[in-house]
Amino acid sequence: MIKRLSTLLPVIAGVLCLTFALLHMVPGDPVDVMLGESASAADRQLLKAQLGLDQPLYVQLGQYVANILQGDFGVSIHTQTPITQLLATAYPATLILAVTALSIGLLIGIPLGIWSALKAGHWQDVMVTMVSIRLAAMPAFWLGPVLMLVFAVWLGWLPVSGMGSPVAIILPAVTLGLGLSAILTRMTRTSLLEVLNEDYIRTARAKGLSERQVLLRHALRAALLPLVTIVGLQMGSLLAGAVITETIFSWNGIGRLLVDSIEKRDYPVTQACVLVIAFSYVLINQLTDLAYRWLDPRTRGAR
């Protein structure tokens, strides 16, 4: 466990350096955004000195890394708000959205996948396959506005955007969860069909067990095991991929904070958001791998 978790360090270091380099390659200057292009050269130079942007890039990177190692993400260039305070507000909102979307995906995807596997070759299986393929092909930037138009504008059942009420999470969570449910449906179906053809399933049937007992006591436990990896990967993707959905629905999570900071050239906030998202993604993947090894003893010897 210690060996695998130690691999997080070079990944996070690489993300940090790459993000720093790419941000400074993006056209635009935060000083121009803050002061306007009509500002005098003296005012621009003074603000650059105050923000530390007049230092060489390697000096800025070294100072930033030193601050990160001390747990200091710095302050926002524009609002002078501590970045830890911004993250403490935005990250829980993204986490709630991701967990809700994952729950929707599990509640829809796994039952549909089981039903599709049990009806393999029948019209029900074909119908589920067609629906899941179409859901998987719908991007969030298209599905989100469609759901907003139908359920918020036309029907008036749900808020258009924002976080003003508890039901405001429904549309963004469904937008993320439907695509995830399509993936889980296909994976559950494929995994269960493979298990149902195993010898120990035939043995269980030969012993006189009912199909319900064979499914619940033998097949499902083995079939759902590979989904642990898929769920972990998708949870990490939800945390990293909620940027578009949060922007569409004005959900004040870390994705929207990231977009706003990029538009304003707020380097410290952007770097902190990317670092937190990357760390969350890598950490969840590592924990998923450890959980899979714990659940399946056959993989514990693998490296």
Side-chain angles (χ1 to χ4, degrees):
M1 181 181 298
I2 295 174
K3 180 180 178 181
R4 295 193 65 83
L5 291 178
S6 64
T7 59
L8 292 176
L9 299 178
V11 174
I12 298 301
V15 169
L16 178 61
C17 295
L18 185 60
T19 303
F20 183 89
L22 292 177
L23 280 176
H24 285 78
M25 292 172 61
V26 174
D29 191 335
V31 174
D32 291 336
V33 177
M34 298 174 68
L35 296 181
E37 296 182 358
S38 60
S40 65
D43 291 338
R44 290 165 51 84
Q45 190 63 31
L46 178 60
L47 183 57
K48 280 189 175 182
Q50 292 176 347
L51 299 177
L53 298 178
D54 59 338
Q55 300 290 331
L57 289 182
Y58 67 89
V59 175
Q60 296 183 42
L61 176 59
Q63 184 62 46
Y64 182 70
V65 172
N67 292 337
I68 290 294
L69 294 177
Q70 298 175 14
D72 181 15
F73 287 95
V75 297
S76 169
I77 291 178
H78 285 266
T79 64
Q80 297 301 309
T81 304
I83 296 178
T84 53
Q85 181 178 333
L86 297 176
L87 294 176
T89 303
Y91 190 78
T94 297
L95 188 61
I96 292 172
L97 178 60
V99 170
T100 305
L102 181 63
S103 301
I104 292 174
L106 291 172
L107 291 175
I108 296 176
I110 292 181
L112 277 181
I114 295 173
W115 187 52
S116 180
L118 296 178
K119 300 293 183 179
H122 295 78
W123 66 269
Q124 297 96 327
D125 180 31
V126 176
M127 181 184 67
V128 171
T129 300
M130 292 177 61
V131 171
S132 62
I133 291 176
R134 281 161 175 75
L135 286 177
M138 293 180 183
F141 62 81
W142 180 87
L143 181 60
V146 169
L147 294 177
M148 184 188 298
L149 183 65
V150 174
F151 294 100
V153 178
W154 290 351
L155 298 177
W157 291 352
L158 297 169
V160 175
S161 60
M163 301 174 59
S165 63
V167 296
I169 196 175
I170 294 178
L171 286 181
V174 170
T175 300
L176 291 172
L178 286 180
L180 175 60
S181 68
I183 298 174
L184 293 177
T185 297
R186 304 305 302 156
M187 291 300 302
T188 302
R189 177 188 181 277
T190 302
S191 181
L192 186 57
L193 285 177
E194 291 178 356
V195 170
L196 289 176
N197 292 323
E198 295 290 339
D199 292 337
Y200 67 89
I201 297 296
R202 299 191 186 96
T203 302
R205 287 170 175 161
K207 291 181 178 180
L209 296 178
S210 64
E211 283 298 315
R212 181 183 179 87
Q213 290 176 316
V214 170
L215 178 65
L216 296 179
R217 294 173 55 182
H218 297 278
L220 270 184
R221 182 176 180 181
L224 295 181
L225 187 60
L227 290 182
V228 173
T229 302
I230 301 299
V231 170
L233 292 173
Q234 292 303 315
M235 183 60 183
S237 299
L238 288 175
L239 289 173
V243 175
I244 296 176
T245 304
E246 290 182 358
T247 303
I248 292 173
F249 291 99
S250 298
W251 189 263
N252 295 324
I254 197 169
R256 190 181 181 195
L257 178 63
L258 174 61
V259 172
D260 291 342
S261 65
I262 293 175
E263 292 176 349
K264 297 176 181 178
R265 303 298 189 272
D266 198 337
Y267 296 146
V269 176
T270 302
Q271 290 167 174
C273 290
V274 173
L275 184 63
V276 169
I277 291 174
F279 181 78
S280 300
Y281 187 87
V282 176
L283 180 61
I284 289 175
N285 288 344
Q286 293 283 9
L287 293 177
T288 301
D289 185 55
L290 293 174
Y292 188 86
R293 291 167 180 266
W294 177 70
L295 292 171
D296 190 352
R298 296 172 300 177
T299 63
R300 292 178 188 173
R303 295 188 181 275

